[in-house]
Amino acid sequence: MKKLSVILVSSFIFSIFAIPVLAQNRDLLSPEETLWLKSRNNTIVVYPEENAPPYSYKNSAGNPQGLAVDYLELIAEKIGAKMEYLTPRSRSQIQEDVQKGKGDVIAYVTADAEKEGYLIFTGNYLTSPAVIVVRKDAPKKSGLNLNDFNGKRVAVTNGSALEGFIRINYPRVVVDEVTDDEIGLQQVVLGEVDATAMDVASLSFFLSKQVLTSVTVAGNTGFDYKPSFGVSKSSPLLQSILEKGLSQISQNDRSVLSDKWIVLPGEVQKEESDFMTIVKSNLGVASIYILFGVGIITILIYLFTRRTHRERFFRKMHDVDELKQEFSELEGESSILTRELQEIKLEEEKLKGRIDSLNK
């Protein structure tokens, strides 16, 4: 009985989860896209950035993690593929390597005119405004825009779309190129630059980690980061594959990922594994499936048990019928014996009467 229950549970869960996913993956991609993936052993090579939190950065074990990585893992699940991550590197190194044909996907990139020369992009998975960050003891620390920094030094990540935006639209701002946003924040704290420009998502990450507490947002740059995935222009099929996978990610899952990685100042960041995040994001649906599955299995067990009880009941009823029949037969035989005994008693009385008459 226990083995039967385990088999029923396993079969039901497989039918609920595995079969629909396989069918979805089969229908999602075109034959050409499926063939492209198959030719790559269903593996897509990703170039993650080493220090661009919360999108892509290297953890203490040297492995990539971040919002972009989580999105890529969900895409891989939707399209039935595997993501393989190269060693995290700086943004400039990644862009140089991708132009040389290394790797398939840049995990974190915002489209601009320069990159459009050698990359094609998926739709963006987030919109995050770029802000101006200054020290808390700055003479003026609110209501500023980039025009207020004409002739002043502003740290901006080298090779970013924001750098190009500032150079084109605010040529009088002295751009200090840095390798990543964290260094830009450090330069502000040390007084090496007047401000740094970065997106709100990145700033929230550092503030929530309490890496830097002596900076504040002074204004808006007028530019929005719209991070997406970039692939070489020679791989339009891959761009289409990623786009289709991205389109399958629900708004609920997107909200969960944003809440996980983007924490505004004053909020507490909850540390949780990727697995728990997938479970939370699908908790409602999973609960329905589980309850439905338990219900089906309970019904099956009930029917099986009821059948067993019915068989036992009918066996007992059959035995009772047999006993009744035997009892009826015994009653019949008892009646016959009673009549015979009565006849024997009558003969005895007749015989006794004859003996008495002879003695007289």
Side-chain angles (χ1 to χ4, degrees):
M1 185 67 184
K2 186 176 180 181
K3 289 182 179 179
L4 176 62
S5 299
V6 172
I7 294 172
L8 288 172
V9 171
S10 302
S11 301
F12 181 79
I13 292 175
F14 179 81
S15 65
I16 288 290
F17 293 101
I19 295 176
V21 169
L22 291 174
Q24 176 180 321
N25 292 343
R26 185 176 63 248
D27 297 336
L28 182 63
L29 303 180
S30 69
E32 293 79 10
E33 291 163 346
T34 302
L35 185 60
W36 188 94
L37 273 179
K38 187 176 180 181
S39 69
R40 308 293 293 270
N41 294 321
N42 283 344
T43 301
I44 298 173
V45 180
V46 179
Y47 236 138
E49 198 163 334
E50 65 181 356
N51 194 24
Y55 304 105
S56 171
Y57 65 100
K58 183 169 58 177
N59 62 20
S60 57
N63 300 318
Q65 65 179 42
L67 178 63
V69 175
D70 283 358
Y71 264 102
L72 285 169
E73 289 301 316
L74 278 179
I75 289 173
E77 179 184 320
K78 301 297 183 183
I79 64 176
K82 174 186 176 183
M83 297 294 173
E84 179 181 297
Y85 298 94
L86 298 173
T87 302
R89 307 186 70 180
S90 69
R91 183 173 304 177
S92 58
Q93 289 175 318
I94 291 172
Q95 292 175 1
E96 182 181 340
D97 286 349
V98 168
Q99 291 183 67
K100 294 178 180 178
K102 297 180 181 180
D104 295 325
V105 183
I106 298 179
Y108 164 55
V109 63
T110 295
D112 59 26
E114 180 187 353
K115 297 181 187 65
E116 286 173 352
Y118 60 92
L119 292 175
I120 48 179
F121 307 90
T122 65
N124 60 293
Y125 49 84
L126 183 74
T127 298
S128 178
V131 294
I132 302 167
V133 183
V134 300
R135 283 172 52 142
K136 285 185 176 179
D137 59 0
K140 187 177 181 181
K141 52 188 179 184
S142 64
L144 302 178
N145 59 51
L146 287 172
N147 283 321
D148 295 310
F149 290 87
N150 288 334
K152 297 181 179 181
R153 299 175 63 187
V154 177
V156 186
T157 301
N158 177 38
S160 66
L162 179 58
E163 180 195 0
F165 171 81
I166 294 175
R167 289 189 182 280
I168 293 171
N169 296 282
Y170 300 92
R172 294 176 60 191
V173 173
V174 179
V175 174
D176 246 46
E177 296 181 5
V178 292
T179 56
D180 54 65
D181 291 327
E182 186 175 12
I183 292 178
L185 286 169
Q186 290 171 354
Q187 288 189 353
V188 170
V189 173
L190 295 173
E192 297 176 356
V193 294
D194 297 291
T196 184
M198 61 190 299
D199 74 297
V200 169
S202 299
L203 177 63
S204 72
F205 178 88
F206 291 113
L207 293 181
S208 67
K209 292 292 186 181
Q210 296 185 341
V211 175
L212 297 165
T213 57
S214 57
V215 297
T216 186
V217 175
N220 201 302
T221 64
F223 177 84
D224 289 337
Y225 270 97
K226 296 183 178 180
S228 61
F229 303 110
V231 303
S232 171
K233 279 195 167 182
S234 62
S235 301
L237 281 177
L238 176 56
Q239 187 272 347
S240 178
I241 291 169
L242 294 175
E243 190 72 61
K244 288 181 178 180
L246 188 61
S247 70
Q248 296 300 304
I249 299 176
S250 68
Q251 187 58 50
N252 181 58
D253 286 345
R254 290 171 185 259
S255 297
V256 169
L257 291 180
S258 294
D259 292 342
K260 174 184 177 182
W261 291 107
I262 303 174
V263 183
L264 298 178
E267 295 182 357
V268 178
Q269 184 174 20
K270 296 178 181 179
E271 299 292 341
E272 57 187 350
S273 66
D274 293 343
F275 173 75
M276 286 306 297
T277 300
I278 300 299
V279 170
K280 281 178 63 181
S281 67
N282 294 285
L283 185 58
V285 176
S287 299
I288 293 172
Y289 280 139
I290 291 170
L291 290 173
F292 182 70
V294 170
I296 291 294
I297 293 167
T298 302
I299 292 171
L300 291 173
I301 293 173
Y302 169 75
L303 292 175
F304 179 81
T305 306
R306 185 180 178 186
R307 179 181 176 184
T308 303
H309 287 326
R310 288 182 64 187
E311 290 176 350
R312 290 177 181 174
F313 173 77
F314 284 124
R315 280 201 300 270
K316 288 180 179 179
M317 290 297 295
H318 179 71
D319 293 341
V320 170
D321 290 340
E322 288 184 346
L323 288 173
K324 285 182 177 179
Q325 185 176 354
E326 291 178 1
F327 184 73
S328 297
E329 292 175 355
L330 288 173
E331 282 185 332
E333 292 176 358
S334 176
S335 299
I336 294 171
L337 288 173
T338 300
R339 287 197 299 271
E340 291 179 350
L341 287 173
Q342 289 175 347
E343 292 175 356
I344 291 172
K345 188 175 181 180
L346 288 173
E347 292 294 331
E348 286 180 347
E349 289 177 352
K350 289 179 181 180
L351 182 60
K352 184 178 178 182
R354 289 178 185 178
I355 293 173
D356 291 340
S357 61
L358 290 173
N359 290 332
K360 291 180 181 180

